PDB file of all heavy atoms in Angstrom:
ATOM      1  N   VAL X1658       2.010  23.593   6.685  1.00 97.00           N
ATOM      2  CA  VAL X1658       2.644  22.349   6.575  1.00 97.00           C
ATOM      3  C   VAL X1658       2.009  21.574   5.351  1.00 97.00           C
ATOM      4  O   VAL X1658       2.832  20.908   4.531  1.00 97.00           O
ATOM      5  CB  VAL X1658       2.310  21.538   7.886  1.00 97.00           C
ATOM      6  CG1 VAL X1658       2.877  20.028   7.666  1.00 97.00           C
ATOM      7  CG2 VAL X1658       3.038  22.099   9.024  1.00 97.00           C
ATOM      8  N   LEU X1659       0.742  21.676   5.087  1.00 98.00           N
ATOM      9  CA  LEU X1659       0.132  21.002   3.959  1.00 98.00           C
ATOM     10  C   LEU X1659       0.870  21.487   2.670  1.00 98.00           C
ATOM     11  O   LEU X1659       0.977  20.766   1.728  1.00 98.00           O
ATOM     12  CB  LEU X1659      -1.370  21.195   3.966  1.00 98.00           C
ATOM     13  CG  LEU X1659      -2.008  20.580   5.164  1.00 98.00           C
ATOM     14  CD1 LEU X1659      -3.540  20.885   5.205  1.00 98.00           C
ATOM     15  CD2 LEU X1659      -1.820  19.053   5.278  1.00 98.00           C
ATOM     16  N   ALA X1660       0.948  22.832   2.584  1.00 98.00           N
ATOM     17  CA  ALA X1660       1.572  23.411   1.349  1.00 98.00           C
ATOM     18  C   ALA X1660       3.018  22.876   1.111  1.00 98.00           C
ATOM     19  O   ALA X1660       3.279  22.521   0.070  1.00 98.00           O
ATOM     20  CB  ALA X1660       1.606  24.916   1.441  1.00 98.00           C
ATOM     21  N   GLN X1661       3.725  22.799   2.142  1.00 97.00           N
ATOM     22  CA  GLN X1661       5.111  22.349   2.118  1.00 97.00           C
ATOM     23  C   GLN X1661       5.137  20.887   1.759  1.00 97.00           C
ATOM     24  O   GLN X1661       5.929  20.501   0.867  1.00 97.00           O
ATOM     25  CB  GLN X1661       5.678  22.571   3.455  1.00 97.00           C
ATOM     26  CG  GLN X1661       7.320  22.535   3.364  1.00 97.00           C
ATOM     27  CD  GLN X1661       7.808  21.617   4.370  1.00 97.00           C
ATOM     28  OE1 GLN X1661       7.345  21.519   5.451  1.00 97.00           O
ATOM     29  NE2 GLN X1661       8.828  20.798   4.044  1.00 97.00           N
ATOM     30  N   VAL X1662       4.339  20.020   2.328  1.00 97.00           N
ATOM     31  CA  VAL X1662       4.446  18.609   2.014  1.00 97.00           C
ATOM     32  C   VAL X1662       3.878  18.240   0.701  1.00 97.00           C
ATOM     33  O   VAL X1662       4.078  17.136   0.211  1.00 97.00           O
ATOM     34  CB  VAL X1662       3.810  17.693   3.187  1.00 97.00           C
ATOM     35  CG1 VAL X1662       4.442  18.035   4.474  1.00 97.00           C
ATOM     36  CG2 VAL X1662       2.315  17.760   3.161  1.00 97.00           C
ATOM     37  N   SER X1663       3.004  19.137   0.165  1.00 97.00           N
ATOM     38  CA  SER X1663       2.456  18.898  -1.205  1.00 97.00           C
ATOM     39  C   SER X1663       3.376  19.074  -2.341  1.00 97.00           C
ATOM     40  O   SER X1663       2.922  18.900  -3.428  1.00 97.00           O
ATOM     41  CB  SER X1663       1.116  19.628  -1.271  1.00 97.00           C
ATOM     42  OG  SER X1663       0.253  19.323  -0.297  1.00 97.00           O
ATOM     43  N   ARG X1664       4.464  19.572  -2.140  1.00 96.00           N
ATOM     44  CA  ARG X1664       5.420  19.966  -3.183  1.00 96.00           C
ATOM     45  C   ARG X1664       6.330  18.880  -3.590  1.00 96.00           C
ATOM     46  O   ARG X1664       6.619  18.052  -2.772  1.00 96.00           O
ATOM     47  CB  ARG X1664       6.236  21.240  -2.777  1.00 96.00           C
ATOM     48  CG  ARG X1664       5.445  22.357  -2.379  1.00 96.00           C
ATOM     49  CD  ARG X1664       6.262  23.494  -1.786  1.00 96.00           C
ATOM     50  NE  ARG X1664       6.926  24.146  -2.782  1.00 96.00           N
ATOM     51  CZ  ARG X1664       7.431  25.424  -2.711  1.00 96.00           C
ATOM     52  NH1 ARG X1664       7.218  26.122  -1.592  1.00 96.00           N
ATOM     53  NH2 ARG X1664       8.057  25.978  -3.661  1.00 96.00           N
ATOM     54  N   GLY X1665       6.675  18.791  -4.874  1.00 92.00           N
ATOM     55  CA  GLY X1665       7.655  17.896  -5.310  1.00 92.00           C
ATOM     56  C   GLY X1665       7.383  16.465  -5.297  1.00 92.00           C
ATOM     57  O   GLY X1665       8.177  15.568  -5.026  1.00 92.00           O
ATOM     58  N   LEU X1666       5.994  16.111  -5.509  1.00 93.00           N
ATOM     59  CA  LEU X1666       5.624  14.748  -5.308  1.00 93.00           C
ATOM     60  C   LEU X1666       5.460  14.039  -6.630  1.00 93.00           C
ATOM     61  O   LEU X1666       5.229  12.882  -6.650  1.00 93.00           O
ATOM     62  CB  LEU X1666       4.243  14.681  -4.625  1.00 93.00           C
ATOM     63  CG  LEU X1666       4.231  15.281  -3.205  1.00 93.00           C
ATOM     64  CD1 LEU X1666       2.779  15.100  -2.614  1.00 93.00           C
ATOM     65  CD2 LEU X1666       5.209  14.522  -2.361  1.00 93.00           C
ATOM     66  N   GLY X1667       5.732  14.746  -7.743  1.00 87.00           N
ATOM     67  CA  GLY X1667       5.510  14.103  -9.095  1.00 87.00           C
ATOM     68  C   GLY X1667       4.056  13.815  -9.373  1.00 87.00           C
ATOM     69  O   GLY X1667       3.178  14.405  -8.792  1.00 87.00           O
ATOM     70  N   GLU X1668       3.831  12.970 -10.316  1.00 85.00           N
ATOM     71  CA  GLU X1668       2.488  12.721 -10.845  1.00 85.00           C
ATOM     72  C   GLU X1668       1.525  12.043  -9.761  1.00 85.00           C
ATOM     73  O   GLU X1668       1.972  11.018  -9.134  1.00 85.00           O
ATOM     74  CB  GLU X1668       2.486  11.876 -12.052  1.00 85.00           C
ATOM     75  CG  GLU X1668       3.045  12.429 -13.305  1.00 85.00           C
ATOM     76  CD  GLU X1668       2.096  13.465 -13.879  1.00 85.00           C
ATOM     77  OE1 GLU X1668       0.912  13.025 -14.131  1.00 85.00           O
ATOM     78  OE2 GLU X1668       2.356  14.605 -14.092  1.00 85.00           O
ATOM     79  N   ALA X1669       0.412  12.611  -9.621  1.00 84.00           N
ATOM     80  CA  ALA X1669      -0.617  11.868  -8.841  1.00 84.00           C
ATOM     81  C   ALA X1669      -1.128  10.730  -9.708  1.00 84.00           C
ATOM     82  O   ALA X1669      -1.033  10.759 -10.947  1.00 84.00           O
ATOM     83  CB  ALA X1669      -1.800  12.765  -8.301  1.00 84.00           C
TER      84      ALA X1669
END
Side-chain angles (χ1 to χ4, degrees):
Chain X
V1658 174
L1659 297 174
Q1661 196 234 325
V1662 305
S1663 298
R1664 301 172 75 154
L1666 299 182
E1668 288 286 307

